Amino acid sequence: MALKRLRLIQRRKALGYTQEDLAGRLGCERTTIIRWERAETEPQPWLRPRIAQLLHLTAEELGDLLADVADVPDQRDGFTLVSSVPLDFSLSAAHTVRVMEGFSAHDIASRREALAGLAVMTGVALVQPVRQWAASLTLLAGSPPGAGADEVSELEQAVTLFRRWDASGAGGLRRKAVVGQLNAIAESLGESHPPQITRRLFQVTAELAQLAGWMAYDQGLFGIAQRYYLLALHMCREGMSPGLGAKVIGDMTQLSTALGNYEDSLMLVHTALYSLPRHASALVRCELLGLESRAYAQLGEREAAHAARSAETCVAIYDEAPAEPAPDWIHYMNQAEADCLVANAYIELALHATERSRWQDYAAKAEVHSLRARQARGDGYVRSRVFDEIRLAKVRLGQREPAESAAVAMNALQIAAETRSSLLVDWFLHFDRALTVRHPDVADVASFHEQLREYLRKAAPARAGDL
């Protein structure tokens, strides 16, 4: 089955418009009309009066046609094929649950190649809907979900287990299990439950969607990760979980950073900080400030003062955080994570700086936080330990010590031997490019390059050509 707005399609055809005709009159692309008719996106508010005029409808009648979404047979794969998710956060909970169920079913049934083909939204197309979500938080009311059925408690415990899989570095390999659980809960949301149970189910669905997004991101499936994050925001709204929603936007910030969309990163993290309620966990605010610091740093030396201010505030927030239980979805946010966030920002500043005294100062601060993160890292976080080593290698690069940088990076390769993570591969490749561009004639640099080639041959043969 596939989602379609059949009555909207019928209205267009009754007035003699092709999709190209309507797009031309509205000044948009035919693909935009296709996405509207497939119920993947919503017309922007400023376009709706013109659409209503062309289709000879009142605003209320157009709203009814847009809200009327039906399942129709899809000849391609028998599942709900949704290449995008609703960007309108005023849609009903029932509609977004149906999209969640269909999208996760498509994910389960599809090969990696099909999922990797989903495009990633950037710029206004991404940031504006996220801001709409933040603005919609003023409509939320009520207390956190209370106690309920034992079955919901079991689901919550299952999500905790899935997170520990991810922390151990095995999460990406078991992503389909998480998506399967997400699909089952989305299906159950179509049934009738007491209000408190419904709230808890939306909360669990939001947490699973966030985790599915993170695992997809770790596998290099950026398009599908972004869509799970957007679906998580829909579920956060229904579950009245603005703190988790702000954390999800933080995850979207990291995705934009990985793609080099640094302006998007900064706008997204500002939106997350704006949306965060005062009573939210200090750990969420700490993480967002660390991400803000790095976003500023990646924009170059002109934003160095803002980057340093956000970094120091991140540390202060963590140090002053009350000793109270935190939600499990932010369980990883400890001293090591706070330090590595700040180190990331200072590393970027050190690499961008040209004046000796400045890069020495930034690199020295990056070193302090990197070593502290490395020392504080707990057991069971194999992937994070590899990141700690790559981060330290980048510190040495920022200190203009290429041989030492390469040596630390080779140690990281040894630790990563049994870990499968597309994100780790990306970090190694980006580091290798920075190292070889700056110091192409250093023997240890060449040695690391060859060891990385061997690592890719075993761990990610499809990426060997990226070296």
Side-chain angles (χ1 to χ4, degrees):
M1 304 297 287
L3 298 177
K4 286 195 176 181
R5 293 186 169 106
L6 292 178
R7 288 175 58 207
L8 181 66
I9 295 170
Q10 291 165 356
R11 185 68 179 182
R12 170 179 60 75
K13 291 181 176 179
L15 292 170
Y17 293 126
T18 64
Q19 290 172 331
E20 292 88 345
D21 293 336
L22 188 59
R25 290 173 179 265
L26 291 171
C28 64
E29 299 293 329
R30 174 175 175 265
T31 53
T32 301
I33 307 298
I34 292 173
R35 287 195 294 269
W36 292 346
E37 294 183 351
R38 289 180 181 171
E40 295 175 5
T41 60
E42 298 285 316
Q44 296 291 350
W46 57 84
L47 274 177
R48 295 191 184 202
R50 179 60 176 158
I51 298 169
Q53 181 185 35
L54 290 171
L55 298 182
H56 300 174
L57 299 168
T58 64
E60 291 75 16
E61 290 169 338
L62 175 61
D64 289 341
L65 293 190
L66 292 171
D68 189 0
V69 179
D71 283 330
V72 298
D74 189 297
Q75 302 300 318
R76 288 170 287 182
D77 59 13
F79 287 91
T80 306
L81 180 57
V82 184
S83 63
S84 187
V85 299
L87 298 176
D88 184 350
F89 289 97
S90 66
L91 291 174
S92 70
H95 176 76
T96 52
V97 166
R98 288 171 66 192
V99 174
M100 174 74 84
E101 186 179 353
F103 188 77
S104 55
H106 173 59
D107 184 4
I108 293 168
S110 299
R111 292 180 176 273
R112 178 187 173 91
E113 293 76 14
L115 302 175
L118 287 178
V120 179
M121 290 171 284
T122 60
V124 175
L126 172 64
V127 176
Q128 186 169 328
V130 175
R131 286 177 171 170
Q132 179 194 13
W133 177 85
S136 75
L137 295 185
T138 58
L139 304 176
L140 299 186
S143 57
D150 291 340
E151 292 84 352
V152 182
S153 297
E154 291 174 3
L155 290 173
E156 292 164 343
Q157 292 169 13
V159 180
T160 299
L161 173 63
F162 290 149
R163 289 199 189 95
R164 299 312 179 267
W165 281 355
D166 177 65
S168 70
L173 301 176
R174 299 176 179 177
R175 186 179 69 82
K176 294 283 188 174
V178 173
V179 175
Q181 184 72 80
L182 176 60
N183 180 260
I185 298 178
E187 184 178 353
S188 74
L189 277 168
E191 303 167 1
S192 178
H193 303 283
Q196 286 286 57
I197 296 298
T198 299
R199 286 269 306 281
R200 286 180 67 187
L201 284 172
F202 272 119
Q203 171 76 23
V204 172
T205 307
E207 292 184 30
L208 279 170
Q210 180 276 325
L211 187 55
W214 172 258
M215 288 177 166
Y217 170 56
D218 187 41
Q219 288 189 306
L221 302 172
F222 290 173
I224 199 166
Q226 190 180 72
R227 284 153 178 81
Y228 274 123
Y229 289 151
L230 288 167
L231 284 168
L233 291 182
H234 280 282
M235 299 301 108
C236 285
R237 187 174 185 279
E238 301 304 328
M240 300 183 184
S241 308
L244 174 58
K247 181 263 184 299
V248 170
I249 300 175
D251 292 342
M252 296 172 74
T253 296
Q254 296 188 63
L255 194 156
S256 291
T257 294
L259 293 170
N261 301 325
Y262 304 137
E263 293 284 358
D264 286 2
S265 298
L266 191 59
M267 288 188 285
L268 285 169
V269 75
H270 283 169
T271 301
L273 285 164
Y274 161 78
S275 71
L276 198 62
R278 290 186 177 182
H279 63 269
S281 169
L283 299 181
V284 181
R285 193 176 304 278
C286 172
E287 180 177 38
L288 293 175
L289 285 164
L291 295 173
E292 180 187 50
S293 176
R294 186 178 187 184
Y296 274 127
Q298 285 167 321
L299 293 177
E301 285 197 85
R302 71 180 188 276
E303 299 290 358
H306 287 118
R309 181 195 62 206
S310 296
E312 296 309 312
T313 307
C314 169
V315 173
I317 291 289
Y318 184 84
D319 289 343
E320 297 168 7
E324 59 187 18
D328 192 69
W329 45 262
I330 195 72
H331 75 94
Y332 59 87
M333 194 61 208
N334 52 24
Q335 180 69 64
E337 285 299 309
D339 277 315
C340 74
L341 285 168
V342 173
N344 287 340
Y346 281 123
I347 288 168
E348 293 297 331
L349 291 175
L351 292 174
H352 278 107
T354 54
E355 185 180 327
R356 183 181 182 86
S357 61
R358 292 178 71 83
W359 62 252
Q360 284 182 326
D361 178 52
Y362 295 140
K365 291 178 179 177
E367 181 180 34
V368 169
H369 290 287
S370 293
L371 291 175
R372 198 161 71 174
R374 192 186 190 208
Q375 184 177 8
R377 184 70 63 195
D379 295 334
Y381 292 86
V382 178
R383 184 179 53 202
S384 294
R385 286 180 56 225
V386 182
F387 284 132
D388 287 340
E389 294 303 304
I390 304 174
R391 187 175 296 107
L392 184 58
K394 293 175 72 175
V395 170
R396 301 304 180 218
L397 180 59
Q399 292 172 327
R400 280 53 171 178
E401 297 177 6
E404 180 65 19
S405 179
V408 176
M410 284 187 273
N411 183 53
L413 282 175
Q414 292 179 0
I415 300 173
E418 302 303 320
T419 304
R420 298 294 180 265
S421 165
S422 179
L423 198 55
L424 274 181
V425 170
D426 286 341
W427 271 53
F428 275 124
L429 287 169
H430 291 158
F431 169 75
D432 178 72
R433 292 187 193 110
L435 184 63
T436 53
V437 165
R438 289 168 180 259
H439 305 284
D441 301 323
V442 176
D444 289 333
V445 172
S447 178
F448 166 73
H449 187 79
E450 291 308 311
Q451 287 194 31
L452 177 59
R453 188 185 305 280
E454 181 64 16
Y455 169 79
L456 293 177
R457 187 182 67 79
K458 296 178 180 178
R463 302 292 301 277
D466 296 342
L467 189 61

